[in-house]
Amino acid sequence: PSKVQVCFLESPIAESGIEALKALAAGEAIEVVAGELVIDFVGGISTSRLTPDFIEKCAGCVGTSRNWNTLLKIIKACGLAHQ
């Protein structure tokens, strides 16, 4: 989970943007789930060529990313976690 990030973008990413990300990916798994961009940085985030600037360039809008563990903590803090 620490190597999985969800990118919350200002607007939906076009298929051409997803293809551009996948073309530069070096093992990262890239999917759109429930309208959000999810990237599994298998080899680690610090060594990836998929930088926040490049992701925003491909998406054509700004966004913010959070790793999976952080999202789980936010969900729990909001009282939305499943018991």
Side-chain angles (χ1 to χ4, degrees):
S2 65
K3 294 182 182 178
V4 175
Q5 285 203 345
V6 179
C7 303
F8 299 95
L9 299 168
E10 185 177 59
S11 59
I13 187 170
E15 187 64 34
S16 59
I18 296 168
E19 293 306 316
L21 289 170
K22 288 182 177 181
L24 189 66
E28 295 92 346
I30 302 168
E31 297 294 332
V32 175
V33 178
E36 307 301 342
L37 184 64
V38 179
I39 304 175
D40 186 348
F41 291 92
V42 179
I45 294 169
S46 64
T47 59
S48 177
R49 297 185 293 171
L50 302 179
T51 63
D53 287 341
F54 185 73
I55 292 169
E56 288 182 351
K57 180 179 177 181
C58 291
C61 64
V62 296
T64 186
S65 297
R66 297 292 177 265
N67 79 26
W68 195 253
N69 289 332
T70 299
L71 290 175
L72 293 177
K73 289 175 186 175
I74 291 170
I75 290 167
K76 184 177 179 181
C78 292
L80 301 173
H82 288 64
Q83 302 295 340

Coordinates of all heavy atoms in Angstrom, one line a residue:
P1 N 0.8 -1.2 0.0 CA 0.0 0.0 0.0 C 0.8 1.3 0.0 O 0.4 2.3 -0.5 CB -0.8 -0.1 1.3 CG -0.9 -1.6 1.6 CD 0.3 -2.1 1.0
S2 N 2.0 1.3 0.6 CA 2.8 2.5 0.6 C 3.3 2.9 -0.7 O 3.7 4.1 -0.9 CB 4.0 2.3 1.6 OG 4.9 1.4 1.1
K3 N 3.3 2.0 -1.7 CA 3.8 2.4 -3.1 C 2.6 2.7 -4.0 O 2.8 2.9 -5.2 CB 4.7 1.3 -3.6 CG 6.0 1.2 -2.8 CD 6.9 0.1 -3.4 CE 8.1 0.0 -2.6 NZ 9.0 -1.0 -3.1
V4 N 1.4 2.6 -3.5 CA 0.2 2.9 -4.3 C -0.3 4.3 -4.0 O -0.5 4.6 -2.9 CB -0.9 1.9 -4.0 CG1 -2.2 2.2 -4.8 CG2 -0.5 0.5 -4.4
Q5 N -0.5 5.1 -5.1 CA -1.0 6.5 -4.9 C -2.2 6.7 -5.7 O -2.4 6.1 -6.8 CB 0.1 7.5 -5.3 CG 1.2 7.6 -4.4 CD 1.9 9.0 -4.5 OE1 1.7 9.7 -5.5 NE2 2.7 9.3 -3.5
V6 N -3.1 7.4 -5.1 CA -4.3 7.9 -5.8 C -4.1 9.3 -6.2 O -3.8 10.1 -5.3 CB -5.6 7.7 -5.0 CG1 -6.8 8.1 -5.7 CG2 -5.7 6.2 -4.6
C7 N -4.3 9.7 -7.4 CA -4.1 11.0 -7.9 C -5.5 11.6 -8.1 O -6.3 11.1 -9.0 CB -3.4 11.1 -9.2 SG -1.7 10.4 -9.1
F8 N -5.9 12.6 -7.3 CA -7.2 13.2 -7.4 C -7.0 14.4 -8.3 O -6.3 15.4 -8.0 CB -7.7 13.7 -6.0 CG -7.8 12.5 -5.1 CD1 -6.8 12.2 -4.2 CD2 -9.0 11.8 -5.1 CE1 -7.0 11.1 -3.3 CE2 -9.2 10.7 -4.2 CZ -8.2 10.4 -3.4
L9 N -7.5 14.3 -9.5 CA -7.3 15.3 -10.6 C -8.5 16.3 -10.6 O -9.7 15.9 -10.3 CB -7.1 14.7 -11.9 CG -5.9 13.8 -12.0 CD1 -5.9 13.0 -13.3 CD2 -4.6 14.6 -11.9
E10 N -8.3 17.5 -11.1 CA -9.3 18.5 -11.2 C -10.4 18.1 -12.1 O -11.6 18.5 -12.0 CB -8.7 19.8 -11.6 CG -9.5 21.0 -11.7 CD -8.8 22.3 -12.0 OE1 -8.1 22.3 -13.1 OE2 -8.8 23.2 -11.2
S11 N -10.0 17.4 -13.2 CA -11.0 16.9 -14.2 C -10.6 15.5 -14.7 O -9.4 15.1 -14.5 CB -11.2 17.9 -15.3 OG -9.9 18.1 -15.9
P12 N -11.5 14.8 -15.3 CA -11.1 13.4 -15.7 C -9.9 13.5 -16.7 O -9.9 14.3 -17.6 CB -12.4 12.9 -16.4 CG -13.5 13.7 -15.8 CD -12.9 15.1 -15.5
I13 N -9.1 12.5 -16.6 CA -8.0 12.4 -17.5 C -8.4 11.7 -18.8 O -9.2 10.7 -18.8 CB -6.8 11.6 -16.9 CG1 -5.5 11.7 -17.8 CG2 -7.1 10.2 -16.5 CD1 -4.3 11.2 -17.1
A14 N -8.0 12.2 -20.0 CA -8.4 11.6 -21.2 C -7.6 10.3 -21.5 O -6.5 10.1 -20.9 CB -8.1 12.6 -22.4
E15 N -8.1 9.5 -22.3 CA -7.4 8.2 -22.7 C -6.0 8.5 -23.2 O -5.0 7.8 -22.9 CB -8.2 7.5 -23.7 CG -7.7 6.1 -24.0 CD -7.7 5.1 -22.8 OE1 -8.6 5.2 -21.9 OE2 -6.7 4.3 -22.7
S16 N -5.8 9.6 -24.0 CA -4.5 10.0 -24.5 C -3.5 10.3 -23.4 O -2.3 10.0 -23.5 CB -4.6 11.2 -25.5 OG -5.1 12.3 -24.8
G17 N -4.0 10.9 -22.3 CA -3.1 11.2 -21.1 C -2.7 9.9 -20.4 O -1.6 9.8 -20.0
I18 N -3.6 9.0 -20.3 CA -3.3 7.7 -19.7 C -2.3 6.9 -20.5 O -1.3 6.4 -20.0 CB -4.6 6.8 -19.5 CG1 -5.5 7.5 -18.6 CG2 -4.2 5.4 -19.0 CD1 -6.9 6.9 -18.5
E19 N -2.5 7.0 -21.9 CA -1.5 6.3 -22.7 C -0.1 6.9 -22.7 O 0.9 6.2 -22.7 CB -2.0 6.3 -24.2 CG -3.2 5.4 -24.4 CD -3.1 4.0 -23.9 OE1 -2.0 3.4 -24.2 OE2 -4.0 3.5 -23.2
A20 N -0.1 8.3 -22.5 CA 1.2 9.0 -22.4 C 1.9 8.5 -21.1 O 3.1 8.3 -21.0 CB 1.0 10.5 -22.4
L21 N 1.1 8.4 -20.0 CA 1.7 7.9 -18.7 C 2.2 6.5 -18.9 O 3.3 6.2 -18.4 CB 0.7 8.0 -17.6 CG 0.3 9.4 -17.1 CD1 -0.9 9.3 -16.2 CD2 1.4 10.1 -16.4
K22 N 1.4 5.6 -19.5 CA 1.8 4.3 -19.6 C 3.1 4.1 -20.5 O 3.9 3.2 -20.3 CB 0.7 3.4 -20.2 CG -0.4 3.2 -19.2 CD -1.5 2.3 -19.7 CE -2.6 2.1 -18.6 NZ -3.7 1.2 -19.1
A23 N 3.2 5.0 -21.5 CA 4.4 5.0 -22.4 C 5.7 5.3 -21.6 O 6.7 4.7 -21.9 CB 4.2 6.0 -23.5
L24 N 5.6 6.1 -20.6 CA 6.8 6.5 -19.8 C 7.0 5.6 -18.6 O 8.1 5.5 -18.1 CB 6.7 7.9 -19.4 CG 8.0 8.5 -18.7 CD1 9.1 8.6 -19.8 CD2 7.7 9.9 -18.1
A25 N 6.0 4.8 -18.3 CA 6.1 4.0 -17.1 C 7.1 2.9 -17.3 O 7.4 2.4 -18.4 CB 4.7 3.3 -16.9
A26 N 7.8 2.6 -16.2 CA 8.8 1.6 -16.1 C 8.4 0.5 -15.1 O 9.1 0.3 -14.1 CB 10.2 2.2 -15.8
G27 N 7.3 -0.1 -15.4 CA 6.8 -1.2 -14.5 C 5.7 -0.7 -13.6 O 5.0 -1.5 -13.0
E28 N 5.4 0.6 -13.5 CA 4.3 1.1 -12.8 C 3.0 0.6 -13.4 O 2.8 0.6 -14.6 CB 4.3 2.6 -12.7 CG 5.4 3.2 -11.9 CD 6.6 3.6 -12.9 OE1 6.6 3.1 -14.0 OE2 7.5 4.3 -12.4
A29 N 2.0 0.2 -12.5 CA 0.7 -0.1 -13.0 C -0.2 1.1 -12.9 O -0.2 1.8 -11.9 CB 0.1 -1.3 -12.2
I30 N -0.9 1.5 -14.0 CA -1.7 2.7 -14.0 C -3.1 2.3 -14.4 O -3.3 1.7 -15.5 CB -1.1 3.7 -15.1 CG1 0.4 4.0 -14.7 CG2 -1.9 4.9 -15.2 CD1 1.1 4.7 -15.8
E31 N -4.0 2.7 -13.6 CA -5.5 2.5 -13.9 C -6.3 3.7 -13.4 O -5.9 4.4 -12.6 CB -5.9 1.2 -13.1 CG -5.3 0.0 -13.4 CD -5.6 -0.5 -14.8 OE1 -6.6 -0.2 -15.4 OE2 -4.7 -1.2 -15.4
V32 N -7.5 3.8 -14.0 CA -8.4 4.8 -13.5 C -9.5 4.0 -12.8 O -10.1 3.0 -13.4 CB -9.1 5.6 -14.7 CG1 -10.2 6.5 -14.2 CG2 -8.0 6.4 -15.4
V33 N -9.7 4.3 -11.5 CA -10.7 3.6 -10.7 C -11.6 4.6 -10.1 O -11.2 5.6 -9.5 CB -10.0 2.8 -9.6 CG1 -11.0 2.1 -8.7 CG2 -9.0 1.8 -10.1
A34 N -12.9 4.5 -10.4 CA -13.9 5.4 -9.9 C -13.6 6.8 -10.3 O -13.8 7.8 -9.5 CB -14.1 5.2 -8.4
G35 N -13.0 7.0 -11.4 CA -12.7 8.4 -11.9 C -11.4 8.9 -11.4 O -11.0 10.0 -11.8
E36 N -10.7 8.2 -10.6 CA -9.4 8.7 -10.0 C -8.3 7.9 -10.6 O -8.4 6.7 -10.9 CB -9.4 8.7 -8.5 CG -10.6 9.3 -7.8 CD -10.7 10.8 -8.2 OE1 -9.8 11.5 -8.6 OE2 -11.8 11.3 -7.9
L37 N -7.1 8.5 -10.8 CA -6.0 7.9 -11.3 C -5.2 7.1 -10.2 O -4.9 7.8 -9.2 CB -5.0 8.9 -12.0 CG -3.8 8.4 -12.7 CD1 -4.2 7.6 -13.9 CD2 -3.0 9.6 -13.1
V38 N -5.0 5.9 -10.3 CA -4.3 5.0 -9.3 C -3.1 4.5 -10.0 O -3.1 3.9 -11.0 CB -5.2 3.9 -8.8 CG1 -4.5 3.0 -7.8 CG2 -6.5 4.4 -8.3
I39 N -1.9 4.7 -9.3 CA -0.7 4.3 -9.8 C 0.0 3.4 -8.7 O 0.2 3.9 -7.6 CB 0.3 5.5 -10.2 CG1 -0.4 6.4 -11.2 CG2 1.6 4.9 -10.7 CD1 0.3 7.6 -11.5
D40 N 0.4 2.2 -9.1 CA 1.2 1.4 -8.2 C 2.7 1.5 -8.6 O 3.1 1.0 -9.7 CB 0.8 -0.1 -8.4 CG 1.4 -1.0 -7.4 OD1 2.4 -0.6 -6.8 OD2 1.0 -2.2 -7.3
F41 N 3.4 2.2 -7.8 CA 4.9 2.4 -8.1 C 5.6 1.2 -7.6 O 6.3 1.3 -6.5 CB 5.3 3.7 -7.4 CG 4.7 5.0 -7.9 CD1 3.5 5.5 -7.4 CD2 5.4 5.6 -9.0 CE1 3.0 6.7 -8.0 CE2 4.8 6.8 -9.5 CZ 3.6 7.3 -9.0
V42 N 5.6 0.2 -8.3 CA 6.2 -1.1 -7.9 C 7.6 -1.0 -7.5 O 8.0 -1.5 -6.5 CB 6.0 -2.1 -9.1 CG1 6.6 -3.5 -8.7 CG2 4.6 -2.3 -9.4
G43 N 8.4 -0.2 -8.3 CA 9.8 -0.1 -8.0 C 10.1 1.1 -7.0 O 11.3 1.3 -6.7
G44 N 9.1 1.7 -6.5 CA 9.3 2.9 -5.6 C 9.0 4.2 -6.3 O 9.3 4.4 -7.5
I45 N 8.5 5.1 -5.5 CA 8.1 6.4 -6.0 C 9.3 7.3 -6.4 O 9.3 7.9 -7.4 CB 7.1 7.1 -5.0 CG1 5.9 6.3 -4.9 CG2 6.9 8.5 -5.4 CD1 5.0 6.7 -3.8
S46 N 10.3 7.2 -5.5 CA 11.5 8.1 -5.7 C 12.2 7.8 -7.0 O 12.9 8.7 -7.5 CB 12.4 8.0 -4.5 OG 12.9 6.7 -4.4
T47 N 12.1 6.6 -7.6 CA 12.9 6.3 -8.8 C 12.0 6.4 -10.0 O 12.5 6.2 -11.1 CB 13.5 4.9 -8.7 OG1 12.4 3.9 -8.5 CG2 14.4 4.8 -7.5
S48 N 10.8 6.7 -9.9 CA 9.8 6.7 -11.0 C 10.0 8.0 -11.9 O 10.3 9.1 -11.3 CB 8.4 6.7 -10.5 OG 7.5 6.8 -11.6
R49 N 9.8 7.8 -13.2 CA 9.8 9.0 -14.1 C 8.5 9.6 -14.1 O 8.3 10.7 -14.7 CB 10.3 8.5 -15.5 CG 11.7 8.0 -15.5 CD 12.2 7.7 -16.9 NE 11.4 6.6 -17.4 CZ 11.5 6.1 -18.7 NH1 12.3 6.7 -19.5 NH2 10.7 5.1 -19.1
L50 N 7.5 9.0 -13.5 CA 6.1 9.6 -13.4 C 6.0 10.6 -12.3 O 5.5 10.4 -11.2 CB 5.1 8.5 -13.2 CG 5.1 7.4 -14.3 CD1 4.0 6.4 -14.0 CD2 4.8 8.0 -15.7
T51 N 6.6 11.8 -12.6 CA 6.6 12.9 -11.6 C 5.2 13.6 -11.5 O 4.4 13.5 -12.4 CB 7.7 13.9 -11.9 OG1 7.3 14.5 -13.2 CG2 9.0 13.3 -12.0
P52 N 5.0 14.3 -10.4 CA 3.7 15.0 -10.3 C 3.5 16.0 -11.5 O 2.4 16.1 -12.0 CB 3.8 15.8 -9.0 CG 4.7 14.9 -8.2 CD 5.7 14.3 -9.1
D53 N 4.6 16.7 -11.9 CA 4.5 17.6 -13.0 C 4.1 16.9 -14.3 O 3.3 17.4 -15.1 CB 5.8 18.4 -13.2 CG 6.0 19.4 -12.2 OD1 5.0 19.8 -11.5 OD2 7.2 19.9 -12.0
F54 N 4.7 15.7 -14.5 CA 4.4 15.0 -15.8 C 3.0 14.4 -15.7 O 2.3 14.5 -16.7 CB 5.4 13.8 -16.0 CG 5.2 13.1 -17.3 CD1 5.6 13.7 -18.5 CD2 4.6 11.8 -17.3 CE1 5.4 13.0 -19.7 CE2 4.4 11.2 -18.5 CZ 4.8 11.8 -19.7
I55 N 2.5 14.0 -14.6 CA 1.2 13.5 -14.4 C 0.2 14.6 -14.8 O -0.8 14.4 -15.5 CB 0.9 12.9 -13.0 CG1 1.7 11.6 -12.9 CG2 -0.6 12.6 -12.8 CD1 1.8 11.1 -11.4
E56 N 0.4 15.8 -14.2 CA -0.5 16.9 -14.5 C -0.4 17.4 -15.9 O -1.4 17.7 -16.5 CB -0.1 18.1 -13.6 CG -0.5 17.9 -12.1 CD -0.2 19.0 -11.2 OE1 0.5 20.0 -11.6 OE2 -0.7 19.0 -10.0
K57 N 0.8 17.3 -16.5 CA 0.9 17.6 -18.0 C 0.0 16.6 -18.8 O -0.7 17.1 -19.7 CB 2.3 17.6 -18.4 CG 2.6 17.9 -19.9 CD 4.0 17.8 -20.2 CE 4.2 18.1 -21.7 NZ 5.6 18.0 -22.1
C58 N 0.1 15.4 -18.5 CA -0.6 14.4 -19.2 C -2.1 14.5 -19.0 O -2.9 14.3 -19.9 CB -0.2 13.0 -18.9 SG 1.5 12.5 -19.4
A59 N -2.5 14.9 -17.8 CA -3.9 15.0 -17.4 C -4.5 16.3 -18.0 O -5.7 16.4 -18.2 CB -4.1 15.0 -15.9
G60 N -3.6 17.3 -18.2 CA -4.1 18.6 -18.7 C -4.8 19.4 -17.6 O -5.6 20.3 -17.8
C61 N -4.5 19.1 -16.3 CA -5.1 19.8 -15.2 C -4.2 19.5 -13.9 O -3.4 18.7 -14.0 CB -6.5 19.4 -14.9 SG -6.7 17.7 -14.4
V62 N -4.5 20.3 -12.9 CA -3.8 20.1 -11.6 C -4.4 19.0 -10.8 O -5.6 18.6 -11.1 CB -3.7 21.4 -10.8 CG1 -2.9 22.4 -11.5 CG2 -5.1 21.8 -10.4
G63 N -3.7 18.4 -9.9 CA -4.2 17.4 -9.0 C -3.3 17.3 -7.8 O -2.3 17.9 -7.7
T64 N -3.7 16.4 -6.9 CA -2.9 16.1 -5.7 C -3.0 14.6 -5.5 O -3.9 13.9 -5.9 CB -3.5 16.8 -4.5 OG1 -2.6 16.6 -3.4 CG2 -4.9 16.4 -4.1
S65 N -1.9 14.0 -5.0 CA -1.8 12.6 -4.8 C -1.6 12.3 -3.4 O -0.9 13.0 -2.6 CB -0.6 12.0 -5.6 OG -0.8 12.2 -7.0
R66 N -2.1 11.1 -3.0 CA -1.9 10.6 -1.6 C -1.7 9.1 -1.7 O -2.3 8.4 -2.5 CB -3.2 10.9 -0.7 CG -3.5 12.3 -0.5 CD -2.4 13.0 0.3 NE -2.7 14.4 0.5 CZ -2.2 15.4 -0.3 NH1 -1.4 15.1 -1.3 NH2 -2.4 16.7 0.0
N67 N -0.8 8.6 -0.8 CA -0.6 7.2 -0.9 C -1.7 6.5 -0.1 O -2.5 7.1 0.6 CB 0.8 6.8 -0.4 CG 1.0 6.8 1.1 OD1 0.0 6.6 1.9 ND2 2.2 7.0 1.6
W68 N -1.8 5.2 -0.4 CA -2.9 4.4 0.1 C -3.0 4.4 1.6 O -4.1 4.5 2.1 CB -2.8 3.0 -0.5 CG -4.1 2.2 -0.3 CD1 -4.4 1.2 0.6 CD2 -5.3 2.4 -1.1 NE1 -5.7 0.8 0.4 CE2 -6.3 1.5 -0.6 CE3 -5.7 3.3 -2.1 CZ2 -7.5 1.4 -1.1 CZ3 -6.9 3.2 -2.6 CH2 -7.9 2.3 -2.1
N69 N -1.9 4.3 2.3 CA -1.9 4.3 3.7 C -2.5 5.6 4.3 O -3.2 5.6 5.3 CB -0.5 4.0 4.3 CG -0.1 2.6 4.0 OD1 -0.9 1.7 4.0 ND2 1.2 2.3 3.9
T70 N -2.1 6.7 3.7 CA -2.6 8.0 4.1 C -4.1 8.1 3.9 O -4.8 8.6 4.8 CB -1.9 9.1 3.4 OG1 -0.5 9.1 3.7 CG2 -2.4 10.5 3.8
L71 N -4.6 7.6 2.8 CA -6.0 7.6 2.5 C -6.8 6.8 3.5 O -7.8 7.2 4.0 CB -6.3 7.1 1.1 CG -5.9 8.0 0.0 CD1 -6.1 7.4 -1.4 CD2 -6.6 9.4 0.1
L72 N -6.2 5.7 3.9 CA -6.9 4.8 4.9 C -7.0 5.6 6.3 O -8.0 5.5 7.0 CB -6.2 3.5 5.1 CG -6.2 2.5 3.9 CD1 -5.4 1.3 4.2 CD2 -7.7 2.2 3.6
K73 N -5.9 6.3 6.6 CA -5.9 7.1 7.9 C -7.0 8.2 7.8 O -7.6 8.5 8.8 CB -4.5 7.6 8.2 CG -3.5 6.6 8.6 CD -2.2 7.2 8.7 CE -1.1 6.1 9.0 NZ 0.2 6.6 9.0
I74 N -7.1 8.9 6.7 CA -8.1 9.9 6.5 C -9.5 9.4 6.6 O -10.3 10.0 7.3 CB -7.9 10.7 5.1 CG1 -6.6 11.4 5.2 CG2 -9.1 11.6 4.8 CD1 -6.1 12.0 3.8
I75 N -9.7 8.2 6.0 CA -11.0 7.6 6.0 C -11.4 7.2 7.5 O -12.5 7.5 7.9 CB -11.1 6.3 5.1 CG1 -11.0 6.8 3.7 CG2 -12.3 5.5 5.4 CD1 -10.8 5.7 2.7
K76 N -10.4 6.7 8.2 CA -10.6 6.3 9.6 C -10.9 7.6 10.5 O -11.8 7.6 11.3 CB -9.4 5.6 10.1 CG -9.6 5.0 11.5 CD -8.4 4.2 12.0 CE -8.7 3.7 13.4 NZ -7.5 2.9 13.9
A77 N -10.1 8.6 10.2 CA -10.3 9.8 11.0 C -11.7 10.5 10.8 O -12.2 11.1 11.7 CB -9.2 10.8 10.7
C78 N -12.2 10.3 9.6 CA -13.5 10.8 9.3 C -14.7 9.9 9.7 O -15.8 10.3 9.5 CB -13.6 11.1 7.8 SG -12.6 12.4 7.2
G79 N -14.3 8.8 10.3 CA -15.4 7.9 10.8 C -16.0 7.1 9.6 O -17.1 6.6 9.8
L80 N -15.4 7.0 8.5 CA -16.0 6.3 7.4 C -15.5 4.9 7.2 O -15.9 4.2 6.3 CB -15.7 7.1 6.1 CG -16.2 8.6 6.1 CD1 -15.8 9.3 4.9 CD2 -17.7 8.6 6.2
A81 N -14.5 4.5 8.0 CA -14.0 3.1 7.9 C -15.0 2.1 8.2 O -15.8 2.3 9.1 CB -12.8 3.0 8.8
H82 N -15.0 1.0 7.5 CA -15.8 -0.2 7.8 C -15.4 -0.8 9.1 O -14.2 -1.0 9.3 CB -15.8 -1.2 6.7 CG -16.5 -0.7 5.4 ND1 -16.1 0.4 4.7 CD2 -17.6 -1.2 4.8 CE1 -16.9 0.5 3.7 NE2 -17.8 -0.4 3.7
Q83 N -16.3 -1.2 9.9 CA -16.0 -1.8 11.2 C -15.8 -3.3 11.0 O -16.4 -4.0 10.3 CB -17.1 -1.5 12.2 CG -17.4 -0.1 12.4 CD -16.2 0.7 13.1 OE1 -15.4 0.1 13.7 NE2 -16.2 2.0 12.9

